[in-house]
Amino acid sequence: MHEESREGSVGKATWPPVTLLVLAICGIAIVADGYDVVIYGAVIPSLLHEHSWGLTPAGAGLIGSFALIGMLIGATTVGTLTDKLGRRRMLIGCLAWFSVMTGLCAIATSPEVFGIFRFLAGLGLGGVLPTASALSSEYSHPKARNLVFAIIFSGFPVGGIIAAFTGMFVIPRFGWQAMFLLGLLPLVLIVPVALRFLPESIVFLRAKGRHAEAEQTARRWNITLDDTENKAPASTQAPTGTGSDGMSPVKTLLSRDYVVATLCFLVMSCLCLFMIYGYNTWLPEIMRRAGYSSGSALGFLLMFNLGAVVGQLLISLAADRLGSKPIIVTTYLLAGVAVILLSLRLPTAVLYAAVALGGVGAMGTQTFLLAYVSKYYPARMGATALGWTLGFGRIGSMLAPPLLGLIIGAGLALQWNFYALAVPAVIGAVLTGLVPRAPGEEVPVGHARTDTAVRSLAEPT
């Protein structure tokens, strides 16, 4: 893409059509992902009252972790396969797969069958985020990377908002099964559009020697494939199909240059997803046990995701100026303050505000963490880095439902659930400060790579 066009797309807030198209499709895919994840939290009270199933809170938490185990496998596997088979193909495949498996949950006749379908849906769900992230990162301007991630990852809490609103009206009238039947909509609405319009990664096509397809894609979307090899940072000039020094993407993640940052990113994602899934899985039930009606309890889930949408977009405006580190530390601490407030006996309006603040902190941390990862590593291993970051993070999401379920089932005070969510926020803020500068950087990563073309769309092979 011409440099003038890329600069103008940021300065004048008028982005090229291909950027808007990719963001729209990837963002809507993440909306579907968010809906699919959050509906489990919305239906848990109904599942606990499904008499023929005989579920306990601990059992419901265990089932909740099945989908997350699938997401762990999906994120690490699909994230790696994406850099080998193509980002477009994997995103469409993951969307179709998890949509079908989610719909099948509606016909489950036992907790065991339900858990199997949730696990299978998780395989596709886990692949959506790293694949959509990699595509969006490539087709966006480096100076707007945090804003782009904030826009598309706002889709996740938007999906949560839709799930909460839908649950308020659908569950009392049609039962919890209808929530999962609605999960078939991505197969009908998104997949056909993506098949028709979603472009493949030009970096991927050129890395695989498919130059004719790369040129055809470039012509279709009026992209100029400039030779920018000498202008790109050294960290982006890896040999074709590898990370750096001829190593595979996975080996590069654990190489001497990147291992400290990789370990920090993995644990940070784990802690962040622990908070997100702790909220989204158990917040309605915790508030119901605190004396709120089912509708009001779902209202807290709604506020959590609504706060995430608004907060992420506002913070992203500062993130591209201040850099990733200070923003991520801030969002971690916001999440910690929010859960401490929730543990206190405060007026309902204040609790709603605290829940919204928790959405800003928890969801914002994940969004800006992924933007940080996408800028930190070479472009050709972008999907692998994002996949492993999200995949390891699934360990935290897997632990949250059963751990909080055990706390609830043990009859401990509700405050202990919030204390369990506050500790990861503090640890995550500390780890953020330990991330070293990227190899070859002379100034902090958050500033340097915001101000240079780190991921040129026309990066040579």
Side-chain angles (χ1 to χ4, degrees):
M1 185 178 296
H2 288 296
E3 196 63 29
E4 295 85 0
S5 173
R6 294 174 65 83
E7 291 292 343
S9 69
V10 177
K12 299 180 182 178
T14 56
W15 293 348
V18 66
T19 299
L20 298 176
L21 176 67
V22 171
L23 294 187
I25 293 176
C26 291
I28 295 172
I30 294 175
V31 169
D33 190 336
Y35 173 88
D36 194 277
V37 170
V38 174
I39 52 174
Y40 186 67
V43 304
I44 274 185
S46 300
L47 296 181
L48 292 174
H49 289 86
E50 191 77 24
H51 299 295
S52 61
W53 286 22
L55 271 181
T56 63
L62 183 61
I63 289 177
S65 68
F66 288 170
L68 304 174
I69 294 172
M71 292 171 80
L72 166 62
I73 298 172
T76 52
T77 303
V78 174
T80 302
L81 289 176
T82 293
D83 286 327
K84 297 180 180 296
L85 303 179
R87 298 171 182 181
R88 177 183 183 274
R89 180 186 302 174
M90 296 306 298
L91 179 59
I92 294 172
C94 288
L95 277 170
W97 177 266
F98 88 69
S99 184
V100 170
M101 293 302 138
T102 296
L104 289 175
C105 289
I107 64 173
T109 56
S110 67
E112 293 77 16
V113 174
F114 182 83
I116 290 172
F117 285 141
R118 288 297 289 167
F119 168 78
L120 293 174
L123 295 175
L125 282 168
V128 169
L129 285 176
T131 309
S133 301
L135 264 177
S136 300
S137 176
E138 176 180 337
Y139 280 99
S140 64
H141 192 283
K143 289 186 177 180
R145 190 66 48 76
N146 281 294
L147 177 59
V148 164
F149 270 77
I151 291 172
I152 65 167
F153 279 99
S154 291
F156 190 93
V158 166
I161 292 170
I162 294 172
F165 262 128
T166 304
M168 291 179 183
F169 294 100
V170 169
I171 294 175
R173 294 168 176 79
F174 305 104
W176 62 266
Q177 293 87 348
M179 296 289 287
F180 291 96
L181 286 176
L182 291 173
L184 288 168
L185 289 178
L187 180 66
V188 179
L189 300 179
I190 306 175
V191 169
V193 174
L195 284 170
R196 176 70 177 84
F197 296 107
L198 185 66
E200 180 56 276
S201 160
I202 291 179
V203 171
F204 168 79
L205 292 174
R206 300 182 77 187
K208 295 298 181 182
R210 294 158 60 178
H211 299 289
E213 293 180 55
E215 292 172 2
Q216 182 180 7
T217 301
R219 285 195 302 270
R220 180 181 182 185
W221 297 107
N222 194 28
I223 299 168
T224 300
L225 299 180
D226 297 320
D227 183 3
T228 57
E229 184 163 3
N230 294 328
K231 295 184 290 183
S235 61
T236 68
Q237 298 179 26
T240 300
T242 64
S244 60
D245 299 328
M247 290 187 290
S248 69
V250 174
K251 288 184 178 179
T252 304
L253 285 177
L254 301 176
S255 66
R256 184 177 62 181
D257 288 340
Y258 291 103
V259 64
V260 174
T262 296
L263 293 177
C264 287
F265 289 142
L266 297 184
V267 178
M268 287 161 61
S269 180
C270 180
L271 295 170
C272 182
L273 287 177
F274 182 94
M275 292 188 293
I276 292 174
Y277 283 82
Y279 270 113
N280 278 322
T281 303
W282 283 112
L283 186 60
E285 180 64 14
I286 291 172
M287 303 315 292
R288 191 188 68 81
R289 288 176 179 247
Y292 293 88
S293 65
S294 295
S296 297
L298 282 173
F300 282 97
L301 186 60
L302 173 64
M303 286 301 298
F304 175 79
N305 288 283
L306 185 61
V309 173
V310 176
Q312 285 183 106
L313 293 176
L314 291 177
I315 294 175
S316 70
L317 299 176
D320 284 309
R321 298 177 182 273
L322 301 178
S324 298
K325 269 193 177 184
I327 294 297
I328 295 173
V329 170
T330 301
T331 52
Y332 262 127
L333 294 180
L334 280 177
V337 169
V339 290
I340 294 300
L341 291 175
L342 288 174
S343 69
L344 306 175
R345 293 186 178 276
L346 299 171
T348 301
V350 177
L351 292 179
Y352 273 117
V355 168
L357 188 65
V360 176
M363 294 284 196
T365 298
Q366 186 67 7
T367 296
F368 301 120
L369 171 60
L370 294 177
Y372 195 7
V373 170
S374 78
K375 293 183 290 185
Y376 197 91
Y377 297 96
R380 292 181 182 84
M381 56 184 289
T384 299
L386 289 164
W388 277 81
T389 300
L390 283 163
F392 193 86
R394 299 302 177 189
I395 296 176
S397 62
M398 287 160 45
L399 292 175
L403 178 59
L404 295 182
L406 287 173
I407 293 175
I408 294 172
L412 297 176
L414 295 178
Q415 287 85 346
W416 284 100
N417 293 280
F418 299 117
Y419 298 156
L421 294 171
V423 173
V426 176
I427 299 175
V430 173
L431 284 176
T432 304
L434 298 179
V435 177
R437 296 176 181 177
E441 290 291 341
E442 297 180 357
V443 294
V445 175
H447 294 281
R449 296 209 172 184
T450 298
D451 297 332
T452 56
V454 183
R455 300 289 189 275
S456 173
L457 177 63
E459 183 182 3
T461 57

